[in-house]
């Protein structure tokens, strides 16, 4: 099992990148089983994958503290295990879990601990776990998601974007997250931009893995509400992603 | 020896929708359940396995439907009280089977059988029954006789469920009535030591954890699942203080686990050796000297409490894993405990509660007191509270 986490500031193209990655693995490695985790409270990975979601982990965490939600005689251990499996959206070779809204005030130490243990158990069933994070890296820093093999920090092709990618990298280092490798991907680039950003990128200390150009088809799919995973093989973004995949030896 | 491999390594195995041959129960099937009944030695036919209704091999691939598992056991030393514990083992042992998962319990079970295991020959529920009987009798020698019946006939499942629901309910009533005196073991939790390094939670049948997430049954389950984990058993030892309710071995364990910071816990007092808090409490009990009584405020109460201090200020006094007399962090369900602050006078000592908490406590409030405890709707400050208490004849 390999865990890939995708991070970056709002709107830079994280979810699109996650969907491109899932699309790639789905098409090129038909033998493997994927778990997509949407860890952004503003969840929309499901749309990029063309899946419908009606249960979130956040509701389960709240349930573990509501005596009326847990069926009588059922322990919270069991409740968590059961509800977590129930919340998994099952599609062809891809399953999806959605974290949902952050918790209301109050202590979630125990529910989160249960979640952590059960996620560990669950993820061992998959070959790849792909996590679309929110900008603050909440779930990573609270260790709900641990042992990340690959962290991809996405930036858009602006100086500001690259600087905020640097800050994400700083958080990762500051809280000494359990991450094996970190790379930068610049998204929504036009022809000459990456070259101009070189200097800024060098300052971040992040290794540039590649870029995903601004693809009018991605924008069009977005407008029409069509899932990113349905993009054709010759779409600019899809072709660009294959290069990244080659580099990562996916 | 069996059609599918069996062992703890298969626990946690997930079988996906397009992988199962047959699914029983689960969120989309309304009738399902399992029940273990302890019977007399003469009443159980040992190793009898029955399948009532269509068996695995009779069901179409991808079938999803009802199932009831009826287990009867007998043994010289078996007690009725063990039924729930034994039922939990059905969950554990079915998960030991390669390519089979089992979720939850009672009327909520969910089972999936993988196509591969089916192809390998796991094509009858009888085989699962065989495995269950072998594991139960091997691991629990107190079971001398055991029979298993799998019912897939929808009408029969429905009838059995009606009967089983009555049994579950009776069991719950017994558990609800469980008191500290009835058990030998309490449970501890040190999960929050990551930020309050000397804090220990003690959880008893009459004292839910202050975060509200762990009750005595959860504690028992957690220590069974992972004895080395953050939750652990505390054999309670001897009651050394009848008034404040303090047990010698609880104090011993608290001393060790708090690194010597706290050496004594009164389990039901906010005034004398109170239980410490990490900061996770759902509500805070605080002493108001002017009325010689308590106020209780919950985390979601906006604005100042009756003393003028908001929850956040009070929280500062109650947390950090240090005993601070007059402050006690609690889980909201503690308000319904028969031992609620019994050492300090229980609700007789409560002067003010936020109205939401009063609502939560209502079943446990002595009727004659209900109108005599003020809320934010009655009084705004301690002066008004004093007057309220005088008018109520409590001061
Ligand atoms: N390569 C691309 N070409 C064109 N448009 C893109 C590309 N990548 C992303 N977009 C568009 O940019 C917008 C934001 O992308 P996306 O949702 O992937 O970003 P995000 O980082 O996940 O955002 P959020 O922080 O809101 O979750 C979307 O409208 C998306 O269609
Ligand atoms: S507050 Fe809850 S999670 Fe924290 S130590 Fe107590 S029981 Fe454990
Ligand atoms: Mg996104």
């Amino acid at each position: 099992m390999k865990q890939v986490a995708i991070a970056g500031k709002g709107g830079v193209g994280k979810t699109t990148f996650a969907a491109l990655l899932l699309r790639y693995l789905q098409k090129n490695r038909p033998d493997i089983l994927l778990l997509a985790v949407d860890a952004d409270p503003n969840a929309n990975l499901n749309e990029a994958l063309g899946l419908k979601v009606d249960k979130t982990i956040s509701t389960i965490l709240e349930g573990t503290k509501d005596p009326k939600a847990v069926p009588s005689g059922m322990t919270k251990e069991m409740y968590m295990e059961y509800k977590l499996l129930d919340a998994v959206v099952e599609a062809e070779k891809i399953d999806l879990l959605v974290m949902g809204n952050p918790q209301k005030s109050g202590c979630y130490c125990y529910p989160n601990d249960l979640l952590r243990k059960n996620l560990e158990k669950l993820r061992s069933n998959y070959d790849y776990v792909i996590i679309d994070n929110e900008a603050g890296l909440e779930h990573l820093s609270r260790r709900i998601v641990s042992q990340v093999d690959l962290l991809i920090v996405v930036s858009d092709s602006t100086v500001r974007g690259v600087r905020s990618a640097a800050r994400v990298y700083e958080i990762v280092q500051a809280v000494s997250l359990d991450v094996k490798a970190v790379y930068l991907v610049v998204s929504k680039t036009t022809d000459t931009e990456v070259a101009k950003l070189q200097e800024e990128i060098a300052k971040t200390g992040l290794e540039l893995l590649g870029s995903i150009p601004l693809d009018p088809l991605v924008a069009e799919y977005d407008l029409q509400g069509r899932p990113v995973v349905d993009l054709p093989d010759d779409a600019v973004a899809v072709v660009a992603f294959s290069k990244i995949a080659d580099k990562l030896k996916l | 020896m069996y059609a599918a491999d069996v062992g703890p390594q298969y626990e946690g195995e997930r079988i996906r929708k397009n992988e199962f041959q047959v699914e029983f129960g689960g969120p989309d099937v309304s009738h399902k359940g399992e029940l273990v009944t302890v019977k007399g030695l003469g009443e159980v036919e040992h190793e009898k396995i029955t399948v009532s209704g269509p068996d695995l091999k009779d069901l179409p691939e991808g079938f999803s439907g009802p199932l009831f598992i009826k287990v009867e056991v007998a043994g010289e030393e078996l007690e009725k009280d063990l039924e729930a514990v034994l039922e939990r083992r059905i969950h554990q042992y079915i998960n030991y089977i390669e390519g089979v998962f089992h979720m939850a319990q009672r009327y909520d079970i969910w089972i999936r059988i993988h196509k591969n295991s089916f192809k390998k020959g796991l094509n009858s529920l009888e085989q699962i029954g065989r495995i269950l009987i072998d594991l139960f009798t091997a691991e629990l020698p107190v079971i001398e006789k055991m029979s298993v019946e799998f019912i897939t006939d929808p009408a029969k499942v429905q009838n059995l469920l009606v009967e089983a629901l009555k049994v579950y309910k009776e069991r719950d009533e017994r558990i609800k009535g469980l008191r500290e005196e009835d058990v030998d073991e309490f449970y501890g939790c040190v999960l929050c030591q990551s930020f309050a390094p000397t804090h220990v939670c003690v959880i008893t049948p009459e004292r839910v954890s202050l975060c509200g997430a762990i009750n005595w049954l959860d504690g028992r389950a957690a220590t069974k699942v992972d004895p080395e984990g953050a939750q652990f058993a505390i054999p309670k030892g001897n009651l050394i203080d009848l008034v404040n309710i303090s047990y010698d071995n609880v104090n011993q364990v608290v001393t060790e686990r708090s690194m010597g910071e706290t050496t004594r816990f009164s389990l039901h007092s906010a005034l004398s050796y109170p239980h410490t808090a990490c900061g996770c409490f759902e509500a805070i009990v605080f002493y108001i000297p002017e009325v010689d009584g308590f106020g209780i405020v919950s985390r979601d109460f906006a604005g100042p409490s009756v003393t003028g201090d908001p929850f956040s200020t009070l929280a500062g006094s109650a947390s950090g894993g240090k005993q601070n007399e007059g402050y006690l962090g609690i889980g909201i369900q503690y308000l319904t405990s028969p031992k609620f602050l019994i050492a300090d006078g229980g609700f007789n000592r409560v002067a003010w509660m936020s109205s939401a908490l009063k609502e939560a406590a209502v079943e446990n409030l002595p009727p004659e007191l209900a109108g005599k405890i003020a809320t934010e709707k009655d009084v705004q400050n301690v002066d008004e509270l004093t007057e309220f208490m005088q008018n109520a004849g409590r001061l």
Side-chain angles (χ1 to χ4, degrees):
Chain A
M1 192 271 315
K2 264 202 150 89
Q3 284 209 109
V4 184
I6 298 154
K9 170 172 93 86
V12 290
K14 295 182 293 291
T15 301
T16 307
F17 185 86
L20 288 170
L21 170 58
L22 286 158
R23 181 193 182 282
Y24 179 91
L25 291 170
Q26 203 179 17
K27 300 246 163 174
N28 294 281
R29 305 274 308 274
D31 50 319
I32 67 174
L33 196 56
L34 305 166
L35 177 65
V37 179
D38 194 342
D40 190 341
N42 192 355
N44 58 2
L45 182 60
N46 64 306
E47 285 162 26
L49 299 178
L51 299 176
K52 258 185 75 178
V53 179
D54 56 359
K55 290 165 187 143
T56 67
I57 287 182
S58 147
T59 328
I60 306 172
L61 288 173
E62 258 141 47
T64 54
K65 291 195 61 172
D66 176 2
K68 289 185 200 81
V70 182
S72 59
M74 194 184 279
T75 64
K76 272 116 196 178
E77 300 256 357
M78 207 178 238
Y79 177 81
M80 175 65 73
E81 186 181 33
Y82 175 45
K83 289 289 166 181
L84 193 62
L85 282 199
D86 183 26
V88 174
V89 181
E90 302 181 307
E92 196 65 36
K93 296 288 169 195
I94 293 192
D95 287 356
L96 172 67
L97 253 184
V98 177
M99 293 282 192
N101 290 321
Q103 262 35 71
K104 292 185 274 192
S105 68
C107 167
Y108 284 85
C109 305
Y110 182 64
N112 276 327
D113 195 52
L114 285 181
L115 173 62
R116 191 175 302 129
K117 288 182 195 154
N118 277 287
L119 278 181
E120 254 170 53
K121 227 170 27 175
L122 179 67
R123 74 186 184 201
S124 59
N125 285 285
Y126 298 88
D127 299 292
Y128 272 92
V129 179
I130 314 288
I131 308 143
D132 182 11
N133 284 282
E134 99 289 26
L137 288 177
E138 236 336 84
H139 298 97
L140 271 168
S141 55
R142 279 192 289 132
R143 305 281 194 283
I144 303 285
V145 177
S146 59
Q147 294 165 9
V148 172
D149 296 280
L150 187 61
L151 174 70
I152 309 264
V153 185
V154 182
S155 161
D156 57 13
S157 54
T158 63
V159 171
R160 285 222 328 268
V162 175
R163 284 186 188 156
S164 61
R167 271 195 297 282
V168 171
Y169 189 35
E170 277 162 24
I171 301 181
V172 173
Q173 288 167 315
V175 292
S176 51
L177 289 181
D178 189 5
V179 175
K180 286 206 191 99
V182 189
Y183 292 105
L184 176 70
V185 166
V186 183
S187 177
K188 304 196 235 185
T189 53
T190 53
D191 286 346
T192 52
E193 271 169 358
V194 182
K196 285 188 203 150
L197 289 171
Q198 273 313 337
E199 201 181 316
E200 206 57 45
I201 291 171
K203 280 194 221 159
T204 64
L206 279 162
E207 185 179 334
L208 180 65
L209 186 64
S211 55
I212 306 284
L214 192 69
D215 182 348
L217 205 55
V218 170
E220 195 184 311
Y221 269 54
D222 191 42
L223 275 176
Q224 295 170 351
R226 288 172 71 182
V228 177
V229 286
D230 290 351
L231 283 170
D233 289 341
D234 60 359
V236 179
V238 171
V239 173
F241 186 86
S242 333
K243 284 196 201 129
I244 291 177
D246 290 344
K247 235 177 165 172
L248 287 172
K249 302 196 176 63
L250 286 179
Chain B
M1 133 169 119
Y2 304 114
D5 204 9
V6 176
Q9 67 270 29
Y10 299 111
E11 270 189 315
E13 203 184 6
R14 167 166 175 73
I15 294 146
R16 302 175 67 249
K17 193 165 59 187
N18 52 18
E19 291 167 345
F20 69 74
Q21 174 73 24
V22 173
E23 171 184 68
F24 293 115
D28 302 325
V29 172
S30 49
H31 298 107
K32 65 252 176 175
E34 60 194 23
L35 186 70
V36 171
T37 315
V38 172
K39 298 220 144 176
L41 274 166
E43 295 171 290
V44 179
E45 189 181 328
H46 189 40
E47 307 203 308
K48 182 177 178 192
I49 307 169
T50 329
V51 178
S52 311
D55 200 348
L56 297 179
K57 52 179 169 287
D58 312 318
L59 295 166
E61 184 178 312
F63 173 86
S64 180
L67 173 72
F68 197 94
I69 305 177
K70 206 170 142 196
V71 173
E72 295 186 346
V73 289
E76 208 68 65
E77 283 165 52
L78 270 179
E79 287 164 29
K80 202 97 187 124
D81 275 348
L82 282 171
E83 287 175 347
V85 178
L86 297 176
E87 236 162 70
R88 181 75 171 82
R89 296 276 178 137
I90 299 182
H91 167 73
Q92 186 182 350
Y93 295 152
I94 290 188
N95 275 321
Y96 278 8
I97 307 172
E98 181 186 13
V100 183
F101 93 35
H102 179 291
M103 279 299 123
Q105 59 182 16
R106 291 190 173 181
Y107 52 85
D108 237 348
I109 59 168
W110 186 10
I111 296 174
R112 279 179 176 178
I113 295 155
H114 202 291
K115 282 176 194 160
N116 294 345
S117 294
F118 180 80
K119 283 194 197 107
K120 274 208 231 153
L122 186 70
N123 58 15
S124 169
L125 289 165
E126 246 184 85
Q127 296 164 344
I128 295 181
R130 185 69 252 165
I131 294 169
L132 279 178
I133 291 176
D134 289 350
L135 285 172
F136 266 94
T137 49
E139 305 249 331
L140 306 160
V142 287
I143 296 176
E144 294 168 45
K145 290 182 170 181
M146 170 166 170
S147 68
V148 184
E149 185 178 2
F150 296 92
I151 301 96
T152 59
D153 178 276
K156 280 190 191 155
V157 171
Q158 211 164 326
N159 291 337
L160 281 164
L161 190 57
V162 174
E163 289 309 304
L165 284 171
K166 289 184 201 150
V167 178
Y168 305 143
K169 195 154 176 231
E170 277 165 31
R171 274 191 212 154
D172 290 343
E173 296 297 325
R174 274 208 301 277
I175 288 283
K176 237 194 212 156
L178 206 61
R179 310 289 295 259
E180 284 171 358
E181 296 77 11
D182 304 329
V183 302
D184 297 324
E185 228 172 55
F186 299 155
Y187 299 97
C189 179
V190 290
L191 197 59
C192 290
Q193 287 196 346
S194 54
F195 59 92
T198 60
H199 170 69
V200 186
C201 267
V202 177
I203 299 150
T204 82
E206 294 173 274
R207 188 176 207 296
V208 68
S209 72
L210 50 87
C211 59
I214 310 182
N215 61 31
W216 186 81
L217 287 175
D218 296 322
R220 188 173 66 170
T223 53
K224 289 242 165 67
V225 176
D226 180 10
E228 306 296 306
Q231 291 84 34
F232 48 90
I234 310 178
K236 65 180 183 182
N238 304 302
L239 187 60
I240 53 165
D241 183 340
L242 257 103
V243 177
N244 288 314
I245 310 191
S246 194
Y247 287 86
D248 58 359
N249 199 51
V250 172
N251 291 338
Q252 175 73 30
V253 173
V254 167
T255 308
E256 284 161 22
R257 294 281 183 155
S258 71
M259 273 72 77
E261 166 72 33
T262 313
T263 53
R264 186 184 179 108
F265 262 180
S266 305
L267 292 175
H268 302 284
S269 171
L271 297 176
S272 147
Y273 302 102
H275 189 288
T276 60
C278 40
C280 289
F281 33 69
E282 294 185 302
I284 300 174
V285 178
F286 54 98
Y287 182 67
I288 309 170
E290 291 87 340
V291 294
D292 184 33
F294 296 117
I296 314 177
V297 64
S298 62
R299 189 174 285 276
D300 50 13
F301 185 75
S305 71
V306 69
T307 58
D309 288 333
F311 179 86
S312 54
T313 310
L314 294 164
S317 306
S319 46
K322 291 200 183 340
Q323 268 172 341
N324 192 359
E325 287 173 357
Y327 294 94
L328 182 72
I330 59 167
I332 289 174
Q333 264 185 289
Y334 181 56
L335 297 173
T336 61
S337 164
K339 285 210 176 54
F340 168 78
L341 291 184
I342 195 165
D344 305 327
F347 281 105
N348 280 313
R349 203 72 178 275
V350 176
W352 182 92
M353 290 168 98
S354 60
S355 53
L357 285 182
K358 196 167 163 184
E359 193 61 39
V362 74
E363 61 175 275
N364 205 21
L365 274 182
E368 69 280 8
L369 260 179
K372 298 180 177 176
I373 295 175
T375 72
E376 75 279 6
K377 291 177 184 149
D378 306 307
V379 302
Q380 298 307 317
N381 51 49
V382 175
D383 285 345
E384 286 177 25
L385 178 61
T386 310
E387 202 186 315
F388 180 96
M389 292 285 280
Q390 281 162 347
N391 291 342
R394 297 181 66 198
L395 265 184

mmCIF file of all heavy atoms in Angstrom, chain A residues 9-16 40 44 187-188 212-215 218-219 222 237, ligand 1:
data_model
loop_
_atom_site.group_PDB
_atom_site.id
_atom_site.type_symbol
_atom_site.label_atom_id
_atom_site.label_comp_id
_atom_site.label_asym_id
_atom_site.label_seq_id
_atom_site.Cartn_x
_atom_site.Cartn_y
_atom_site.Cartn_z
ATOM 1 N N LYS A 9 -2.474 25.463 -1.572
ATOM 2 C CA LYS A 9 -3.412 26.544 -1.266
ATOM 3 C C LYS A 9 -4.720 26.343 -2.045
ATOM 4 O O LYS A 9 -4.765 25.595 -3.011
ATOM 5 C CB LYS A 9 -2.686 27.820 -1.676
ATOM 6 C CG LYS A 9 -3.440 29.094 -1.718
ATOM 7 C CD LYS A 9 -2.477 30.252 -1.970
ATOM 8 C CE LYS A 9 -2.354 30.591 -3.456
ATOM 9 N NZ LYS A 9 -3.347 31.503 -3.961
ATOM 10 N N GLY A 10 -5.767 27.054 -1.605
ATOM 11 C CA GLY A 10 -7.085 26.911 -2.231
ATOM 12 C C GLY A 10 -7.080 27.245 -3.721
ATOM 13 O O GLY A 10 -6.462 28.209 -4.146
ATOM 14 N N GLY A 11 -7.754 26.423 -4.499
ATOM 15 C CA GLY A 11 -7.992 26.727 -5.906
ATOM 16 C C GLY A 11 -6.831 26.504 -6.859
ATOM 17 O O GLY A 11 -6.928 26.826 -8.043
ATOM 18 N N VAL A 12 -5.727 25.943 -6.379
ATOM 19 C CA VAL A 12 -4.557 25.814 -7.259
ATOM 20 C C VAL A 12 -4.658 24.640 -8.236
ATOM 21 O O VAL A 12 -3.923 24.591 -9.217
ATOM 22 C CB VAL A 12 -3.238 25.674 -6.449
ATOM 23 C CG1 VAL A 12 -2.888 26.981 -5.765
ATOM 24 C CG2 VAL A 12 -3.333 24.537 -5.465
ATOM 25 N N GLY A 13 -5.540 23.706 -7.946
ATOM 26 C CA GLY A 13 -5.681 22.566 -8.849
ATOM 27 C C GLY A 13 -5.397 21.228 -8.179
ATOM 28 O O GLY A 13 -5.097 20.240 -8.844
ATOM 29 N N LYS A 14 -5.523 21.168 -6.849
ATOM 30 C CA LYS A 14 -5.261 19.931 -6.105
ATOM 31 C C LYS A 14 -6.213 18.822 -6.516
ATOM 32 O O LYS A 14 -5.802 17.703 -6.804
ATOM 33 C CB LYS A 14 -5.459 20.157 -4.589
ATOM 34 C CG LYS A 14 -4.508 21.115 -3.943
ATOM 35 C CD LYS A 14 -4.773 21.218 -2.445
ATOM 36 C CE LYS A 14 -6.110 21.855 -2.099
ATOM 37 N NZ LYS A 14 -6.193 23.276 -2.417
ATOM 38 N N THR A 15 -7.496 19.157 -6.492
ATOM 39 C CA THR A 15 -8.493 18.129 -6.759
ATOM 40 C C THR A 15 -8.363 17.614 -8.191
ATOM 41 O O THR A 15 -8.463 16.409 -8.446
ATOM 42 C CB THR A 15 -9.900 18.689 -6.495
ATOM 43 O OG1 THR A 15 -9.945 19.115 -5.132
ATOM 44 C CG2 THR A 15 -10.972 17.652 -6.729
ATOM 45 N N THR A 16 -8.101 18.534 -9.109
ATOM 46 C CA THR A 16 -7.911 18.127 -10.502
ATOM 47 C C THR A 16 -6.713 17.193 -10.607
ATOM 48 O O THR A 16 -6.767 16.157 -11.274
ATOM 49 C CB THR A 16 -7.694 19.369 -11.393
ATOM 50 O OG1 THR A 16 -8.782 20.275 -11.168
ATOM 51 C CG2 THR A 16 -7.631 18.996 -12.855
ATOM 52 N N ASP A 40 -10.837 17.478 2.267
ATOM 53 C CA ASP A 40 -11.158 18.903 2.211
ATOM 54 C C ASP A 40 -12.610 19.094 2.656
ATOM 55 O O ASP A 40 -13.503 18.462 2.110
ATOM 56 C CB ASP A 40 -10.976 19.389 0.765
ATOM 57 C CG ASP A 40 -11.044 20.904 0.667
ATOM 58 O OD1 ASP A 40 -11.577 21.538 1.597
ATOM 59 O OD2 ASP A 40 -10.563 21.446 -0.338
ATOM 60 N N ASN A 44 -15.142 18.128 -3.055
ATOM 61 C CA ASN A 44 -15.620 18.017 -4.431
ATOM 62 C C ASN A 44 -14.839 17.003 -5.255
ATOM 63 O O ASN A 44 -15.002 16.925 -6.469
ATOM 64 C CB ASN A 44 -15.626 19.380 -5.118
ATOM 65 C CG ASN A 44 -14.242 20.019 -5.126
ATOM 66 O OD1 ASN A 44 -13.277 19.430 -4.651
ATOM 67 N ND2 ASN A 44 -14.139 21.210 -5.671
ATOM 68 N N SER A 187 0.703 23.924 -11.550
ATOM 69 C CA SER A 187 -0.485 23.630 -12.332
ATOM 70 C C SER A 187 -0.958 24.868 -13.094
ATOM 71 O O SER A 187 -0.574 25.988 -12.772
ATOM 72 C CB SER A 187 -1.570 23.140 -11.382
ATOM 73 O OG SER A 187 -2.747 22.912 -12.090
ATOM 74 N N LYS A 188 -1.784 24.625 -14.079
ATOM 75 C CA LYS A 188 -2.378 25.695 -14.894
ATOM 76 C C LYS A 188 -1.316 26.599 -15.517
ATOM 77 O O LYS A 188 -1.423 27.819 -15.496
ATOM 78 C CB LYS A 188 -3.350 26.530 -14.048
ATOM 79 C CG LYS A 188 -4.454 25.711 -13.388
ATOM 80 C CD LYS A 188 -5.582 26.590 -12.915
ATOM 81 C CE LYS A 188 -5.863 26.386 -11.445
ATOM 82 N NZ LYS A 188 -7.011 27.124 -10.963
ATOM 83 N N ILE A 212 1.353 20.809 -14.957
ATOM 84 C CA ILE A 212 0.120 20.500 -15.679
ATOM 85 C C ILE A 212 -0.319 21.806 -16.346
ATOM 86 O O ILE A 212 -0.675 22.757 -15.652
ATOM 87 C CB ILE A 212 -0.996 20.027 -14.714
ATOM 88 C CG1 ILE A 212 -0.542 18.862 -13.835
ATOM 89 C CG2 ILE A 212 -2.260 19.700 -15.492
ATOM 90 C CD1 ILE A 212 -0.484 17.526 -14.501
ATOM 91 N N PRO A 213 -0.286 21.874 -17.661
ATOM 92 C CA PRO A 213 -0.648 23.125 -18.328
ATOM 93 C C PRO A 213 -2.114 23.477 -18.148
ATOM 94 O O PRO A 213 -2.936 22.606 -17.855
ATOM 95 C CB PRO A 213 -0.349 22.829 -19.808
ATOM 96 C CG PRO A 213 0.399 21.557 -19.834
ATOM 97 C CD PRO A 213 0.088 20.820 -18.593
ATOM 98 N N LEU A 214 -2.390 24.721 -18.345
ATOM 99 C CA LEU A 214 -3.773 25.176 -18.360
ATOM 100 C C LEU A 214 -4.450 24.488 -19.540
ATOM 101 O O LEU A 214 -4.025 24.629 -20.678
ATOM 102 C CB LEU A 214 -3.788 26.702 -18.555
ATOM 103 C CG LEU A 214 -5.126 27.392 -18.309
ATOM 104 C CD1 LEU A 214 -5.486 27.347 -16.838
ATOM 105 C CD2 LEU A 214 -5.073 28.838 -18.779
ATOM 106 N N ASP A 215 -5.485 23.729 -19.256
ATOM 107 C CA ASP A 215 -6.114 22.925 -20.304
ATOM 108 C C ASP A 215 -7.557 23.389 -20.490
ATOM 109 O O ASP A 215 -8.381 23.246 -19.582
ATOM 110 C CB ASP A 215 -6.062 21.448 -19.877
ATOM 111 C CG ASP A 215 -6.656 20.525 -20.917
ATOM 112 O OD1 ASP A 215 -7.315 21.023 -21.859
ATOM 113 O OD2 ASP A 215 -6.466 19.300 -20.785
ATOM 114 N N VAL A 218 -10.199 20.955 -19.494
ATOM 115 C CA VAL A 218 -10.452 20.815 -18.055
ATOM 116 C C VAL A 218 -11.463 21.874 -17.625
ATOM 117 O O VAL A 218 -12.441 21.588 -16.918
ATOM 118 C CB VAL A 218 -9.148 20.955 -17.235
ATOM 119 C CG1 VAL A 218 -9.449 21.058 -15.740
ATOM 120 C CG2 VAL A 218 -8.217 19.780 -17.502
ATOM 121 N N ALA A 219 -11.235 23.094 -18.103
ATOM 122 C CA ALA A 219 -12.141 24.186 -17.768
ATOM 123 C C ALA A 219 -13.543 23.901 -18.313
ATOM 124 O O ALA A 219 -14.547 24.110 -17.620
ATOM 125 C CB ALA A 219 -11.598 25.498 -18.337
ATOM 126 N N ASP A 222 -15.276 21.300 -16.323
ATOM 127 C CA ASP A 222 -15.666 21.887 -15.049
ATOM 128 C C ASP A 222 -16.993 22.639 -15.218
ATOM 129 O O ASP A 222 -17.923 22.471 -14.425
ATOM 130 C CB ASP A 222 -14.558 22.831 -14.569
ATOM 131 C CG ASP A 222 -14.766 23.278 -13.137
ATOM 132 O OD1 ASP A 222 -15.136 22.430 -12.314
ATOM 133 O OD2 ASP A 222 -14.584 24.470 -12.852
ATOM 134 N N ALA A 237 -3.925 18.064 -20.230
ATOM 135 C CA ALA A 237 -3.627 17.780 -18.822
ATOM 136 C C ALA A 237 -3.304 16.300 -18.623
ATOM 137 O O ALA A 237 -2.410 15.944 -17.847
ATOM 138 C CB ALA A 237 -4.811 18.194 -17.948
HETATM 139 N N1 LIG C 1 -4.866 22.219 -15.650
HETATM 140 C C1 LIG C 1 -5.967 22.966 -15.575
HETATM 141 N N2 LIG C 1 -6.452 23.608 -16.641
HETATM 142 C C2 LIG C 1 -7.558 24.368 -16.567
HETATM 143 N N3 LIG C 1 -8.272 24.528 -15.476
HETATM 144 C C3 LIG C 1 -7.859 23.912 -14.356
HETATM 145 C C4 LIG C 1 -6.686 23.097 -14.349
HETATM 146 N N4 LIG C 1 -6.522 22.610 -13.087
HETATM 147 C C5 LIG C 1 -7.558 23.109 -12.358
HETATM 148 N N5 LIG C 1 -8.344 23.882 -13.105
HETATM 149 C C6 LIG C 1 -9.554 24.590 -12.668
HETATM 150 O O1 LIG C 1 -9.230 25.409 -11.561
HETATM 151 C C7 LIG C 1 -10.258 25.372 -10.582
HETATM 152 C C8 LIG C 1 -9.693 24.886 -9.265
HETATM 153 O O2 LIG C 1 -9.188 23.581 -9.452
HETATM 154 P P1 LIG C 1 -9.290 22.459 -8.352
HETATM 155 O O3 LIG C 1 -10.658 22.335 -7.848
HETATM 156 O O4 LIG C 1 -8.611 21.261 -8.872
HETATM 157 O O5 LIG C 1 -8.364 23.153 -7.271
HETATM 158 P P2 LIG C 1 -8.233 22.826 -5.717
HETATM 159 O O6 LIG C 1 -6.865 23.207 -5.342
HETATM 160 O O7 LIG C 1 -8.667 21.455 -5.434
HETATM 161 O O8 LIG C 1 -9.273 23.850 -5.129
HETATM 162 P P3 LIG C 1 -9.892 23.876 -3.636
HETATM 163 O O9 LIG C 1 -8.823 24.429 -2.772
HETATM 164 O O10 LIG C 1 -11.061 24.782 -3.779
HETATM 165 O O11 LIG C 1 -10.236 22.483 -3.308
HETATM 166 C C9 LIG C 1 -11.331 24.471 -11.147
HETATM 167 O O12 LIG C 1 -12.306 25.260 -11.737
HETATM 168 C C10 LIG C 1 -10.600 23.628 -12.157
HETATM 169 O O13 LIG C 1 -11.442 23.222 -13.216
#
